[in-house]
C-alpha cells in the first residue's frame, strides 16, 4: 500500500454529511496530512470538531484551488457542478456526494464492498450514490451474484437527516409545536413532517409522476449493479418523522430459486451487512438501532407468497454513514490502496 498522505478538503463540512465525514476520517485514521473544512461565506470563520480539535471553516473560493490531493464534496449539486471540475483541473481527485455527477458516463458510481473495481479508470471524479440506493446495494449484490435479479419493487421510509440539518431542526420544532397544541410550520417540506408520512421525497419534475429521488433509486441501482434494461425496477419513496436511518421494503424476484434460509445465510456472510431476523421475538432492523452504525441491517427475510422466485426483505441503514460519509471515506481508502489518488494525464469529463 502506498505510504502517501494527503491534503484533504471537505466541502460542506458544516452540514449533516460533511460533519459526519470529518468524524469518519478521524475514526478510520485516514492518512491525511491536513484536513481543511470548507463551506460558504455563511459559516466561514466558525469552527468544526475534528479528531479532538476545532478546525476553522474556510470559505470555498478560487484561492482554495491548488494544493489539495483529495476533495470530499457534499454541498449540493450546484456547488459540485461548478467546483468539482475545477478541483480536478487543479490536480485533486474529487469524491462527490451529490447527485450531479452520478449518472455521467465518465464518472464511476461506487459502493465500497459492492463494485470496488469501478474506481479504476476514473477521470478525476468518483461519485457516491444516493443514500437510499447505497444501503440497498449492500443487500442486493450478494443476491445478484448468487441467484440473479429479474425484478425489484422498493418502498422506502426515509428519515429527515437525508434532507440535511435544516430538516432535522424542522422535525424537532414541529414535534414540539404539535405537542404544545400549536400549528406546525412547514418550510423545508411541502407538509408538516412531525406525526406525518408523505409519499414525496424530493420533487416532481417535468410532469413526471415519479419523484427525482425515485428516479435516482431506479437509475443508480441499474448503473451500480450493471442491470440491463429488461430487469424491471420500481420505487416509491416516502418521508417519515425519523431523525436518522432509512428503512426499505425490498421485493426481489430472482432468476434462480433462492430460499429465505439460503438468503439469510448468504447475507449473514456478506461484508458490511448484519442480519437481524427473529421477528417472533421482535428482532428486526429499525432506524434507532442503526443510527451511528456502519453496517446495513437486514431482516424480515421471507418468501413472497405471490411468486415462487420472490423474496421480501427489510433493509435499514444510517443514511449519514454508509449512505454518505462512510462510503465516501471508504472510496477514498480504495483510491489510496490502489494508488489512484491522482488525476490521470489528459483526463477530461466529456
Ligand atoms: N443527508 C444525507 O443523508 C445525504 C446522503 C447522501 C448524499 N447527500 C448529499 O450531500 C449533500 C449535502 O447534504 P447535507 O444533508 O449534508 O446538507 P446540509 O446539512 O444542508 O449541509 C449543506 C452544506 O453545504 C454547504 N454549502 C451550501 N452552499 C455552499 C456553497 N455555495 N459553497 C460552499 N458550501 C456550501 C453548507 O455550508 P454553510 O454552513 O456555509 O451553509 C453546508 O456545510 C447534498 O447534495 C445531498 O444530496 C446527503
Amino acid at each position: 500500500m502506498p505510504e502517501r498522505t494527503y491534503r484533504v478538503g471537505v466541502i460542506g463540512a458544516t452540514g449533516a454529511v460533511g460533519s459526519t465525514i470529518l468524524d469518519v476520517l478521524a475514526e478510520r485514521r485516514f492518512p491525511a496530512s491536513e484536513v481543511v473544512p470548507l463551506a460558504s461565506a455563511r459559516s466561514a470563520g466558525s469552527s468544526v470538531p475534528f479528531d479532538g480539535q476545532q478546525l476553522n471553516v474556510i470559505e470555498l473560493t478560487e484561492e482554495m484551488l491548488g494544493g489539495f490531493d483529495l476533495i470530499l464534496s457534499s454541498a449540493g449539486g450546484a456547488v459540485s457542478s461548478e467546483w468539482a471540475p475545477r478541483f480536478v483541473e487543479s490536480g485533486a481527485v474529487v469524491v462527490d456526494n451529490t447527485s450531479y455527477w452520478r449518472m455521467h458516463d465518465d464518472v464511476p458510481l461506487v459502493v465500497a464492498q459492492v463494485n470496488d473495481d469501478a474506481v479504476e479508470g476514473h477521470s478525476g471524479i468518483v461519485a457516491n450514490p444516493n443514500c437510499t440506493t447505497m444501503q440497498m446495494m449492500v443487500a442486493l449484490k450478494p443476491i445478484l451474484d448468487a441467484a440473479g435479479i429479474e425484478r425489484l419493487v422498493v418502498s422506502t421510509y426515509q428519515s429527515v437527516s437525508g434532507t440535511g440539518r435544516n430538516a432535522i431542526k424542522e422535525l424537532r420544532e414541529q414535534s414540539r409545536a404539535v405537542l404544545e397544541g400549536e400549528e406546525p410550520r412547514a418550510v423545508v417540506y411541502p407538509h408538516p413532517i412531525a406525526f406525518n408520512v408523505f409519499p414525496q421525497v424530493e420533487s416532481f419534475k417535468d410532469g413526471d409522476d415519479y419523484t427525482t429521488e425515485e428516479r435516482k433509486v431506479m437509475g443508480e441501482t441499474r448503473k451500480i449493479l450493471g442491470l440491463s434494461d429488461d430487469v424491471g425496477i420500481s420505487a416509491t419513496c416516502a418521508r417519515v418523522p425519523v431523525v436518522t436511518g432509512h428503512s426499505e421494503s425490498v421485493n426481489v424476484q430472482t432468476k434462480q430459486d433462492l430460499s429465505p434460509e439460503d438468503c439469510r445465510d448468504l447475507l449473514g456472510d456478506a461484508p458490511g451487512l448484519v442480519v437481524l431476523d427473529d421477528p417472533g421475538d421482535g428482532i428486526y432492523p429499525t432506524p434507532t438501532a442503526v443510527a451511528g452504525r456502519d453496517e446495513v441491517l437486514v431482516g424480515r427475510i421471507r418468501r413472497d407468497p405471490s411468486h415462487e422466485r420472490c423474496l421480501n426483505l427489510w433493509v435499514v441503514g444510517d443514511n449519514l454513514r454508509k449512505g454518505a460519509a462512510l462510503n465516501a471515506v471508504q472510496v477514498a481508502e480504495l483510491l489510496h490502496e490502489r494508488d489512484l489518488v491522482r488525476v490521470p494525464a489528459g483526463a477530461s469529463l466529456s
Side-chain angles (χ1 to χ4, degrees), residues 12 14-17 39-40 42-43 74-76 79 97-98 161-162 164-165 319 324:
T14 52
V17 174
S40 77
R42 278 181 298 273
S43 49
S74 58
V79 172
N97 263 294
T98 76
S161 62
R165 61 192 174 181
N319 48 291

Side-chain angles (χ1 to χ4, degrees), residues 130-132 155-163 188-191 193 197-205 209-217 235-240 246-247:
N130 166 275
C131 41
T132 316
S155 302
T156 72
Y157 306 76
Q158 297 185 216
S159 68
V160 300
S161 62
T163 315
V188 174
Y189 294 127
H191 307 281
I193 184 60
V197 172
F198 41 83
Q200 177 180 353
V201 176
E202 295 200 343
S203 53
F204 293 93
K205 286 241 169 79
D209 50 8
Y210 281 80
T211 60
T212 47
E213 180 83 351
E214 289 160 350
R215 289 285 171 205
K216 284 183 208 169
V217 172
T236 302
C237 297
R239 188 70 70 188
V240 296
H246 292 349
S247 305

